[in-house]
């Protein structure tokens, strides 16, 4: 079975995540500078910037979570990789992927539920639906699930948690 479609989808989503993260970093930096300028130079503070920055930062946090899964950059215990044979890494990979995927699916469910609850609630300054901020959780968790699925199906369970260069180094030492 060809998984090229999954690789293409994951690469497309990863590129969009990287672009989003770069753009939102710039937006936050510009808004902080503008807020300081308006408050201290013009003595006319922009009252909406803090709320907007918090919402954008929330989105950055959860899209960054997903990006870290794609790049295999989350905290891991590399010492196990060195002492475990390939079969042990595979078993540990299956357990870790199952637990992580179950947690992420639960976060998608919970986040979607919370976003639906918050649909009718407005933010105090911008008067937009609070669901915009809350929806970052299920979106980030769903993207993370796609990245993990790609690693698990395309690279195998033994390499799902660890970068390939680390796996290769461990296999050379064992």
């Amino acid at each position: 079975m060809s998984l090229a479609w999954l690789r293409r989808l994951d690469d497309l989503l990863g590129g969009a995540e990287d672009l989003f993260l770069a753009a939102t970093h710039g937006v936050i930096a510009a808004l902080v500078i503008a807020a300081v300028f308006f408050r201290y130079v013009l003595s006319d503070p922009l009252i909406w910037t803090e709320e907007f920055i918090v919402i954008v930062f929330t989105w950055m946090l959860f899209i960054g979570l997903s990006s870290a899964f794609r790049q295999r950059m989350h905290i891991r215990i590399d010492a196990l990789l060195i002492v475990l044979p390939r079969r042990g890494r595979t078993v540990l990979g299956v357990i870790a992927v199952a637990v992580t995927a179950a947690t992420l699916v639960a976060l998608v469910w919970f986040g979607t539920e919370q976003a639906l609850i918050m649909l009718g609630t407005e933010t105090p300054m911008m008067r937009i639906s609070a669901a915009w901020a809350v929806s970052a959780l299920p979106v980030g968790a769903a993207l993370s699930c796609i990245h993990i699925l790609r690693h698990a199906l395309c690279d195998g369970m033994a390499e799902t948690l660890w970068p390939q260069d680390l796996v290769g180094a461990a296999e050379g030492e064992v």
Side-chain angles (χ1 to χ4, degrees):
M1 174 172 77
S2 174
L3 296 171
W5 67 271
L6 182 58
R7 284 186 184 96
R8 280 195 305 273
L9 174 65
D10 188 59
D11 290 341
L12 179 69
L13 292 173
E17 289 169 357
D18 291 344
L19 184 62
F20 176 83
L21 291 170
T24 52
H25 270 96
V27 166
I28 286 178
L31 283 175
V32 168
I33 291 168
V36 169
F37 178 78
F38 273 80
R39 178 178 299 271
Y40 295 108
V41 175
L42 301 179
S43 297
D44 186 20
L46 299 172
I47 59 172
W48 57 271
T49 55
E50 181 182 351
E51 187 174 281
F52 186 75
I53 288 170
V54 167
I55 292 171
V56 171
F57 189 76
T58 302
W59 274 90
M60 284 177 61
L61 174 77
F62 288 106
I63 299 302
L65 164 90
S66 174
S67 180
F69 272 115
R70 181 173 54 89
Q71 298 174 20
R72 296 182 176 117
M73 295 301 294
H74 283 286
I75 295 173
R76 59 190 175 265
I77 302 172
D78 296 340
L80 289 175
L81 181 65
I82 295 169
V83 298
L84 288 175
R86 182 170 179 77
R87 182 163 173 76
R89 286 195 310 271
T90 302
V91 169
L92 187 61
V94 169
I95 293 167
V97 168
V99 170
T100 302
T103 302
L104 290 169
V105 167
L107 288 174
V108 170
W109 179 269
F110 174 76
T112 302
E113 204 172 68
Q114 292 304 306
L116 292 172
I117 290 169
M118 298 301 286
L119 269 176
T121 305
E122 289 185 345
T123 61
M125 295 296 159
M126 295 190 308
R127 312 302 274 169
I128 62 170
S129 174
W132 280 107
V134 177
S135 60
L137 172 61
V139 170
L143 289 170
S144 298
C145 286
I146 293 169
H147 297 317
I148 290 172
L149 183 65
R150 183 231 177 127
H151 290 313
L153 295 179
C154 295
D155 302 334
M157 290 296 183
E159 286 82 25
T160 298
L161 300 177
W162 298 287
Q164 187 59 42
D165 59 339
L166 194 58
V167 172
E171 287 179 347
E173 293 174 11
V174 174

